[in-house]
Amino acid sequence: MDHSTSLLRLIFLALGAALVLLVLRSAFRLPRGIDTSTTSLFDDAAAGSSCTRFAPWGCRKADRTTKPPSHETDVPRHPLDPLTVGEINRARELLHTHPPFASSPSSLLVHSLALDEPEKAVVLAWRKGADPLPPRRAVAVVRFRGEAFVLAVDLADGAVTPLPVPASGYPTMTMDEQVSLCFAPFGDPAFNATIRRRGVRMSDVACLPISLGWYGPTEENRRLIKVQCFSAEGTANFYMRPIEGLTVLVDMDTREVIQISDSGAGIPIPAAANTDYRYARHTQEDDRTTSTAGAGPGFQKVRAPSMEPAPSGPGVELVDGHMVRWGGWEFHLKADARAGMVVSRARVQDPGTGAPREVLYKGMASELFVPYMDPSEAWYFKTYMDAGEYGFGLQAMPLVPLNDCPRHARYIDGVFAAADGRPYVRENMICVFERYAGDVAWRHSESPITGMDIRESRPKVTLVARMVASVANYDYIMDWEFQMDGLVRIKVGLSGILMVKGTAYSHLNQVRENEDMHGTLLSENVIGVIHDHYVTFRLDMDVDGADNSFVRVDMARQETGPGESPRRSYLKATRHVAQTEKDAQVRLKLYKPAEFHVVNPTKKTRVGNPVGYKVVPAGTAASLLDADDPPQKRGAFTNNQIWVTPYNKSEEWAGGLFVYQSKGEDTLATWAERDRPIENRDLVLWYTLGFHHIPCQEDFPIMPTVSSSFDLKPVNFFESNPILKQRPTKEDDLPVCAATAA
């Protein structure tokens, strides 16, 4: 054999190895931010690394200049504090020694490991400093050799007790399998051949694992997922370059490719031009434009104000890591792998007595439902349940200081368990900060006709607890905003990147008359598909105590009698106390207005009104899907905007405990069918905030944030305006800036 032949073989071997490396690199392109934003514990090799085969994305970079807190020595200080690093490790040890898992601990996959919160009465009775913490327990959702288990783990005595397992569905996907599923198709020769036929380099392919809902018996008894892919050539925004129509059905446990569907062979991949949203990329383009064509429009020069706190420092107290105190409010705040952010034991100080008064025992986002409105083969199944399928908290990335949160914000980390049960830290997952946006808390000025020179005004300063979840392309900004007048505003902001569809059309004049594109042509070969977002919140209201009633205050036109008044009509309010769950189901109607109160019938103001809070809806949307459509059966918790159920510790997740591939038989709608009594009981109020989204060109290539909210507002809760005595801001309150020496 001559030397030239040997050299050619060597070159081909090197090229083959390089191709394999490029494929693996492209397969990990989707979660490339995870390895830089997730902190693993015990990263020192001597301490036993958590960079395991399950969690390569949880490994800390070795070149970090600032070592983040490890939380290794944290201890719980409140009954509702999340599991600590030590407790997660303890639970892992107990699970590994529990039969049948002890026979093969490496086969045990941890899908969820969280605090099993003590009974409500125990938490309410606990007093810091006077009482020891209640026994600490964890609840684990695991899979072992294909079978799911739900287990209670006593961290003190080591007991592991089985709990009921849902009849259908599977647990929330772990982050580890979400990552690995991105590259599962690359091991299939038919998939690779399809990619080559579509004219995409393997090194440019980025894939996403997409939950497939449930559409009949053929999808049962097997964990399945659909994977769709994109071209990342020339842009970080690969979402705008779909390989349209290519869908790969994968067995989640074996990683076997079951079926490949390619219905988009004639559809071009959209161009990369104008899709990148990164600041550095645009500054480079501006520099090129300026050097060749003179001064361009450039970036807007508006910058966020410094939002510096008062000279004495931030008014926010973060006690023992999770208790927040500010402006008369006190509440417990923690990160949760499924819900994202949980607010508990929210109490507000009475301005008259100084005593703290109960408002909310626990509030959180229970489920998200995101159905896309395209019934075609490559799109019909896109009806995501982001909390139950992907883990809303698992998708929370570290917040960006000065941009996501102001300079003086305080941060809370999340401590979660990877698929092998080892703990890892999600840094800066929640921020808490004071906000002044120029709004007015209350004011009044007297007109000159009264002869009184009165001008009284007070600034509105609020406290915000914020978390952002980046669920693949979409970013959800979740705010809980507390006001000094007792109001709580819960706001959802939507940003990020649209999920788009490739098309042969580059202009609307090419579209056939009456053709349904299922969306908007945003750019050449790009359709933004119409979709909805629904966020269902679980609000365990405890207004001045646990036993409350739900009151619907209907407003209707009342006609005046003959000769009664020059007026012919007026608005009359009528109160209806809900007796059972079905009495309290509400579908909002603009021309049938009502108020929705949660009152404590045993507590009255000095003039006899029951103390209460009311739910105040803002802009929202309702699902228009057929009630028998499989996605709507699973998302039946969106059938009403308001539900009220009696408190039940096990009823926390509106879509059920196991959402993935569930049939919808364990949802809020199912529970409420029992029509249980709710008058003067411990109540849970559920509110669904909705968005219809018809994409527009301003959403391309990345969406400006759109927000909506609802309020929990005091209604006869206080004897009078609770911030009546708030002091006005004076010049002396402003910080004085000293010039630095040259």
Side-chain angles (χ1 to χ4, degrees):
M1 182 184 298
D2 59 29
H3 293 292
S4 60
T5 303
S6 299
L7 180 61
L8 283 172
R9 286 188 174 182
L10 181 62
I11 291 172
F12 281 125
L13 284 171
L15 288 173
L19 179 61
V20 170
L21 289 173
L22 287 170
V23 168
L24 291 175
R25 187 201 70 175
S26 68
F28 278 97
R29 180 174 281 110
L30 168 66
R32 60 179 172 267
I34 295 176
D35 60 347
T36 60
S37 63
T38 307
T39 305
S40 66
L41 301 176
F42 317 118
D43 58 321
D44 189 354
S49 173
S50 69
C51 300
T52 68
R53 66 187 179 92
F54 290 99
W57 46 269
C59 302
R60 181 181 297 150
K61 280 185 171 291
D63 59 351
R64 294 192 68 140
T65 56
T66 303
K67 187 178 178 67
S70 70
H71 297 278
E72 294 177 46
T73 59
D74 287 358
V75 295
R77 301 177 184 274
H78 188 280
L80 298 177
D81 279 358
L83 294 179
T84 65
V85 167
E87 289 174 328
I88 291 175
N89 281 323
R90 167 68 171 159
R92 179 175 180 268
E93 293 170 0
L94 293 172
L95 289 171
H96 280 188
T97 58
H98 178 69
F101 314 143
S103 63
S104 180
S106 62
S107 300
L108 182 69
L109 301 178
V110 178
H111 287 260
S112 172
L113 185 60
L115 176 72
D116 184 3
E117 295 183 356
E119 293 300 321
K120 188 172 178 179
V122 174
V123 176
L124 292 172
W126 180 82
R127 295 294 177 266
K128 181 181 177 180
D131 302 317
L133 283 179
R136 298 280 287 178
R137 297 185 178 90
V139 59
V141 177
V142 302
R143 295 180 67 251
F144 183 73
R145 293 175 175 169
E147 184 179 356
F149 298 83
V150 183
L151 303 161
V153 182
D154 192 308
L155 300 174
D157 66 20
V160 178
T161 307
L163 298 174
V165 176
S168 77
Y170 297 103
T172 304
M173 289 186 285
T174 69
M175 277 298 299
D176 307 87
E177 62 187 356
Q178 291 178 49
V179 171
S180 65
L181 287 165
C182 294
F183 64 88
F186 289 85
D188 186 80
F191 170 80
N192 296 333
T194 302
I195 292 294
R196 288 192 293 269
R197 284 197 302 271
R198 298 295 293 267
V200 182
R201 293 182 303 184
M202 298 301 296
S203 60
D204 291 326
V205 178
C207 297
L208 287 174
I210 299 174
S211 57
L212 44 63
W214 180 84
Y215 290 91
T218 58
E219 297 176 353
E220 293 179 2
N221 304 317
R222 196 173 187 180
R223 292 175 74 224
L224 301 172
I225 198 160
K226 292 187 176 180
V227 177
Q228 293 188 332
C229 302
F230 308 78
S231 171
E233 180 184 8
T235 180
N237 191 355
F238 59 86
Y239 302 100
M240 290 295 149
R241 306 201 68 209
I243 305 174
E244 187 56 47
L246 176 59
T247 305
V248 184
L249 182 64
V250 176
D251 185 304
M252 293 174 66
D253 294 323
T254 65
R255 304 299 190 264
E256 173 193 358
V257 172
I258 298 171
Q259 182 182 28
I260 298 174
S261 171
D262 186 6
S263 58
I267 299 175
I269 295 172
N274 302 317
T275 63
D276 211 312
Y277 51 86
R278 294 171 296 173
Y279 181 78
R281 180 60 61 91
H282 285 284
T283 54
Q284 293 170 5
E285 293 175 357
D286 270 13
D287 289 343
R288 289 195 296 268
T289 303
T290 302
S291 62
T292 58
F299 283 96
Q300 296 185 20
K301 303 303 180 184
V302 175
R303 293 290 182 263
S306 63
M307 296 183 67
E308 288 296 322
S312 59
V316 183
E317 292 183 69
L318 191 56
V319 181
D320 294 336
H322 294 283
M323 286 301 300
V324 179
R325 293 175 183 157
W326 172 89
W329 280 102
E330 178 182 76
F331 56 92
H332 187 273
L333 184 64
K334 66 180 176 183
D336 183 86
R338 182 163 176 172
M341 181 168 60
V342 178
V343 174
S344 301
R345 294 302 316 277
R347 298 185 293 174
V348 64
Q349 187 179 41
D350 189 288
T353 66
R357 298 174 64 185
E358 301 283 346
V359 175
L360 176 78
Y361 181 77
K362 185 176 182 180
M364 65 181 189
S366 176
E367 190 54 86
L368 294 87
F369 177 41
V370 187
Y372 280 75
M373 304 303 170
D374 186 335
S376 63
E377 181 183 0
W379 280 82
Y380 75 89
F381 55 88
K382 295 182 181 179
T383 55
Y384 307 100
M385 303 277 195
D386 286 335
E389 293 176 339
Y390 293 89
F392 203 48
L394 294 180
Q395 311 302 320
M397 297 296 108
L399 296 163
V400 181
L402 304 182
N403 293 276
D404 283 329
C405 313
R407 177 181 298 183
H408 59 275
R410 307 286 296 274
Y411 291 87
I412 296 176
D413 297 338
V415 179
F416 303 138
D420 64 350
R422 296 183 188 270
Y424 69 93
V425 176
R426 181 73 79 211
E427 295 173 45
N428 295 351
M429 179 174 158
I430 297 171
C431 71
V432 185
F433 58 92
E434 287 182 307
R435 174 160 64 192
Y436 172 60
D439 294 326
V440 178
W442 67 262
R443 78 172 317 280
H444 181 65
S445 294
E446 274 298 333
S447 167
I449 62 173
T450 66
M452 293 186 290
D453 185 15
I454 297 176
R455 287 183 297 165
E456 292 282 341
S457 183
R458 304 292 184 271
K460 177 182 285 188
V461 181
T462 63
L463 179 76
V464 178
R466 172 173 294 166
M467 180 219 98
V468 179
S470 300
V471 189
N473 55 307
Y474 251 100
D475 291 62
Y476 292 87
I477 305 158
M478 313 293 284
D479 283 1
W480 283 68
E481 185 172 12
F482 295 82
Q483 297 185 182
M484 287 186 287
D485 60 2
L487 183 143
V488 182
R489 176 161 294 159
I490 302 166
K491 184 168 74 171
V492 177
L494 307 179
S495 188
I497 302 168
L498 289 172
M499 185 65 73
V500 301
K501 179 178 181 176
T503 178
Y505 301 136
S506 58
H507 195 280
L508 283 178
N509 60 16
Q510 300 169 328
V511 181
R512 296 186 298 273
E513 186 177 0
N514 297 324
E515 178 181 355
D516 189 351
M517 294 195 302
H518 310 294
T520 305
L521 190 65
L522 304 177
S523 185
E524 290 79 1
N525 309 119
V526 177
I527 292 174
V529 177
I530 297 168
H531 58 282
D532 288 347
H533 298 265
Y534 301 101
V535 186
T536 297
F537 289 88
R538 181 185 186 271
L539 305 165
D540 181 1
M541 303 294 295
D542 276 10
V543 179
D544 251 358
D547 291 342
N548 293 167
S549 294
F550 180 76
V551 180
R552 177 174 179 146
V553 184
D554 289 318
M555 291 174 274
R557 184 177 66 226
Q558 181 75 22
E559 307 289 344
T560 59
E564 180 183 349
S565 170
R567 290 275 298 273
R568 297 186 60 177
S569 62
Y570 61 96
L571 191 69
K572 181 179 180 180
T574 306
R575 296 167 58 89
H576 302 279
V577 179
Q579 306 293 313
T580 65
E581 290 175 278
K582 290 186 178 180
D583 292 340
Q585 295 174 10
V586 174
R587 295 186 178 184
L588 298 175
K589 298 177 182 178
L590 184 62
Y591 285 96
K592 290 187 177 180
E595 288 193 352
F596 311 103
H597 298 187
V598 177
V599 304
N600 188 325
T602 66
K603 302 287 182 67
K604 304 290 179 64
T605 65
R606 70 176 188 275
V607 297
N609 290 311
V611 300
Y613 260 72
K614 63 180 178 181
V615 181
V616 184
T620 190
S623 178
L624 302 179
L625 297 180
D626 189 297
D628 291 326
D629 196 349
Q632 191 61 37
K633 284 184 177 180
R634 300 176 69 235
F637 51 87
T638 65
N639 288 346
N640 299 304
Q641 284 74 55
I642 294 175
W643 310 71
V644 181
T645 60
Y647 173 80
N648 185 324
K649 184 182 175 183
S650 68
E651 295 177 357
E652 283 204 321
W653 309 110
L657 179 61
F658 286 7
V659 171
Y660 200 94
Q661 288 181 249
S662 68
K663 303 176 186 178
E665 70 272 76
D666 182 30
T667 70
L668 169 60
T670 306
W671 311 331
E673 276 298 310
R674 287 175 278 185
D675 204 21
R676 294 163 290 187
I678 59 171
E679 185 180 8
N680 200 16
R681 303 289 179 98
D682 192 355
L683 301 182
V684 175
L685 185 143
W686 308 74
Y687 183 83
T688 296
L689 183 63
F691 301 79
H692 294 309
H693 190 175
I694 302 176
C696 59
Q697 286 188 240
E698 288 80 3
D699 294 331
F700 178 90
I702 194 165
M703 295 176 288
T705 301
V706 59
S707 302
S708 193
S709 63
F710 67 97
D711 295 343
L712 300 176
K713 187 179 186 301
V715 55
N716 303 315
F717 187 79
F718 300 108
E719 294 290 349
S720 62
N721 181 349
I723 54 172
L724 178 65
K725 297 180 181 179
Q726 178 184 341
R727 61 184 293 272
T729 299
K730 304 293 185 182
E731 286 288 337
D732 293 344
D733 295 319
L734 302 177
V736 178
C737 301
T740 58

